[in-house]
Amino acid sequence: MHLPEPMVRLIESFMRLPGIGPKTAQRLAFFVFRMDQKDVTQFAKALESVKKDITFCEECQNISDTPKCKICQDPKRDVSVICVVEQPRDVIAIERMQEFHGKYHVLQGAISPMVEIGPDDIKIKELLHRLADERVQEVILATDPNIEGEATAMYISRLIKPLGIKVTRIAHGLPVGGDLEYADEVTLAKAIEGRKTL
Amino acid sequence: MHLPEPMVRLIESFMRLPGIGPKTAQRLAFFVFRMDQKDVTQFAKALESVKKDITFCEECQNISDTPKCKICQDPKRDVSVICVVEQPRDVIAIERMQEFHGKYHVLQGAISPMVEIGPDDIKIKELLHRLADERVQEVILATDPNIEGEATAMYISRLIKPLGIKVTRIAHGLPVGGDLEYADEVTLAKAIEGRKTL
């Protein structure tokens, strides 16, 4: 291939990212070579910073660069409703619709026996701990509308019901088998609006 | 958006790359967050290294991490033929076919009055300088088959012909494995014009 070593290493790094094959990686590496020094330095710093400076919010388990995330710190958020999602990306999707004003809980995954992820491997214990707060009146289960997400929702609802807290599941306005983060705002709004008591 | 600052910065950096929109950038940033520390450090280093350690070969102007690139250093390459291309990527494409054993000259662009790139802005002077070597017998112009590439080829051929060196242009025609009915008129006309006796 007669490419300089630093170029080869950058192409290899780009190829580790999802959806980036050898041709795209090569294209991106050449683009970086032509980029401003300033922008490349910023890029490299941003990469390291994401690993170094981001942690999980001690309350909702979402990603955060402070011990408590911005949403958990916000006094205007409604503490009586907790929306349970699988991933930080799901929080972004729901925030984008600007209709939910409660708090979140990020499970950081879903129960999936096939890949050996059990209830103890995701942040369910942390959720139950938060429910000790008497102000919590409803838990909305907004895990993905696929097999793992449904199973996780069922599992959590069985744990919470005995506590006398209302448990709801977002409606199947979302296409089954889809990915929550890719849902459009309207569909997502309908799904939350049509939630049902489990 | 309620995303931690380091995440936002990384998403912005990814969005500067060609063909990467906000959703893909976000997906990549989250992926980086989950990557091994080791791989991220390597990625960041590779980025900086591409800017810091790569320069241009003093002979062919291709990218290189040594003063002379690997191809120019290779004593097995045929010094009598120089293949002139626009970009380092073009060298990779021609090398991939493993049938050209001469040397290269990378112009680092093409003449394009529309974006104010003149003959002095690309490496034509450096090419002429190399032709002082009496061993050079042929210059193959392999600039892109578009307006800028054609203009650049014409310009260079007029400079070289008086020197008594053979100047050739790569053939135009139908791509192998293509469909005649989908070929555009210009390509088809060139293909017929360049027909060969069987």
Side-chain angles (χ1 to χ4, degrees), chain B:
Chain B
M1 272 285 270
H2 290 289
L3 268 176
E5 256 317 297
M7 205 57 137
V8 173
R9 283 198 302 266
L10 184 57
I11 291 173
E12 281 167 2
S13 278
F14 272 125
M15 278 175 64
R16 283 207 192 89
L17 302 177
I20 294 187
K23 285 227 167 168
T24 308
Q26 188 184 299
R27 193 180 190 79
L28 294 178
F30 273 108
F31 184 87
V32 167
F33 177 61
R34 300 248 169 224
M35 263 166 80
D36 281 353
Q37 176 67 58
K38 180 177 63 62
D39 290 340
V40 176
T41 310
Q42 217 167 61
F43 191 174
K45 279 205 186 123
L47 277 171
E48 305 237 54
S49 168
V50 156
K51 287 301 284 184
K52 206 177 65 220
D53 304 327
I54 294 186
T55 172
F56 296 104
C57 168
E58 56 187 27
E59 194 172 329
C60 74
Q61 310 296 325
N62 194 1
I63 54 167
S64 173
D65 51 349
T66 44
K68 259 196 190 190
C69 76
K70 285 175 196 158
I71 295 176
C72 286
Q73 277 180 35
D74 187 349
K76 287 195 216 101
R77 306 294 300 212
D78 180 0
V79 293
S80 69
V81 190
I82 294 179
C83 180
V84 178
V85 296
E86 293 181 20
Q87 302 292 350
R89 281 181 298 216
D90 302 331
V91 173
I92 298 170
I94 297 177
E95 281 298 286
R96 208 181 293 128
M97 116 193 133
Q98 297 186 318
E99 284 194 20
F100 177 73
H101 306 293
K103 295 206 164 194
Y104 293 96
H105 190 82
V106 182
L107 294 173
Q108 291 176 31
I111 296 170
S112 176
M114 295 284 285
V115 289
E116 293 184 356
I117 298 176
D120 294 337
D121 299 317
I122 60 176
K123 306 292 179 183
I124 293 179
K125 241 190 329 245
E126 288 78 358
L127 173 63
L128 295 177
H129 185 76
R130 290 177 69 186
L131 300 184
D133 183 338
E134 289 167 357
R135 293 173 299 175
V136 180
Q137 286 165 20
E138 181 178 353
V139 172
I140 303 174
L141 299 172
T143 49
D144 286 344
N146 52 26
I147 297 172
E148 291 81 10
E150 293 297 345
T152 309
M154 283 307 294
Y155 183 89
I156 295 177
S157 75
R158 278 183 203 160
L159 287 177
I160 298 180
K161 268 187 195 159
L163 307 176
I165 295 171
K166 187 173 165 193
V167 187
T168 55
R169 174 88 177 110
I170 48 166
H172 284 299
L174 296 175
V176 176
D179 233 328
L180 195 135
E181 64 172 304
Y182 296 129
D184 61 277
E185 296 83 346
V186 185
T187 306
L188 207 49
K190 290 271 183 198
I192 288 185
E193 184 191 315
R195 67 189 180 275
K196 290 190 177 112
T197 312
L198 290 181

